[in-house]
Amino acid sequence: MFDFAVFGSLFLTLFVIMDPPGITPIFLALTSGRPAKVQRRMAWQAVCVAFGVIAVFGICGQQILDYLHVSVPALMIAGGLLLLLIALDLLTGKTDEPKQTKDVNVALVPLGMPLLAGPGAIVSVILAVQKADGVTGQVSVWCAIIAMHVVLWLTMRYSLVIIRIIKDGGVVLVTRLAGMMLSAIAVQQIINGVLQVVRGA
């Protein structure tokens, strides 16, 4: 009652798209300066938000996009623009929001969505659910989704150890590095969306 090929295929696809190792410096940059307890809570919130978004789109994603008349390229471009705004804040150091608002924003946006539950992950899950054959295929798909989110949580949860090692100066360096990485991801996402629009025209 389990298809390891389907599980492995989707898990590897989501691993490449969601990129747990790559999310570590971004998570560290966005959560620096907060108590460890708050950081752990934010890691859990971000994973829960990402899983909730992925689950909703996995169950009725195509219907949602069709109802809203939103194409996948439009979703990619919008997500890219949102990530680019966050990246510019990290690069310029303009992340000094009120603490409570910042906590909520980091857990929901950009960590939960669109960094973790971005257009690429959403589309991959929609396609995997549609292609899965019978109960065995569906169980394998959802096990892969759950396993991926467990990996993401473990990665962010234990990345907090790095903060204690690199201290404040290292956090500033990681923040700038995260801004560069995030801006590149954002621009690539926008380019991919524009290319899909051009090809579909």
Side-chain angles (χ1 to χ4, degrees):
M1 292 294 292
F2 194 83
D3 192 329
F4 284 98
V6 171
F7 174 88
S9 175
L10 181 57
F11 182 85
L12 288 175
T13 300
L14 290 178
F15 190 91
V16 170
I17 293 172
M18 292 179 152
D19 190 18
I23 206 71
T24 300
I26 298 172
F27 175 76
L28 293 176
L30 292 173
T31 61
S32 64
R34 295 179 173 82
K37 183 178 179 181
V38 174
Q39 291 172 321
R40 288 193 293 269
R41 187 179 75 239
M42 290 168 66
W44 175 249
Q45 287 175 339
V47 170
C48 287
V49 168
F51 180 76
V53 172
I54 291 290
V56 168
F57 277 93
I59 294 169
C60 51
Q62 194 59 58
Q63 291 86 341
I64 292 173
L65 294 180
D66 291 343
Y67 177 77
L68 296 174
H69 303 291
V70 174
S71 65
V72 172
L75 191 65
M76 295 178 71
I77 294 171
L81 290 172
L82 180 58
L83 288 181
L84 189 57
L85 290 174
I86 303 296
L88 291 175
D89 280 345
L90 290 176
L91 282 169
T92 57
K94 296 177 181 177
T95 55
D96 299 322
E97 303 171 67
K99 191 171 182 181
Q100 287 187 335
T101 304
K102 193 177 179 184
D103 284 353
V104 174
N105 284 345
V106 169
L108 304 180
V109 178
L111 282 176
M113 183 178 182
L115 272 178
L116 300 181
I122 289 172
V123 172
S124 297
V125 168
I126 290 175
L127 293 176
V129 169
Q130 289 176 348
K131 292 178 181 177
D133 294 325
V135 176
T136 301
Q138 293 294 335
V139 168
S140 303
V141 164
W142 287 100
C143 283
I145 293 170
I146 292 170
M148 185 66 248
H149 284 80
V150 170
V151 170
L152 286 167
W153 177 76
L154 289 173
T155 302
M156 290 189 289
R157 168 67 176 78
Y158 290 101
S159 67
L160 300 180
V161 177
I162 299 173
I163 289 182
R164 302 191 192 104
I165 298 172
I166 63 177
K167 307 296 182 184
D168 291 342
V171 168
V172 172
L173 179 62
V174 167
T175 300
R176 300 299 182 266
L177 175 63
M180 289 181 60
M181 291 171 55
L182 197 55
S183 61
I185 292 170
V187 171
Q188 187 61 57
Q189 193 162 293
I190 294 170
I191 290 172
N192 292 343
V194 171
L195 287 176
Q196 287 196 28
V197 171
V198 172
R199 286 173 190 153

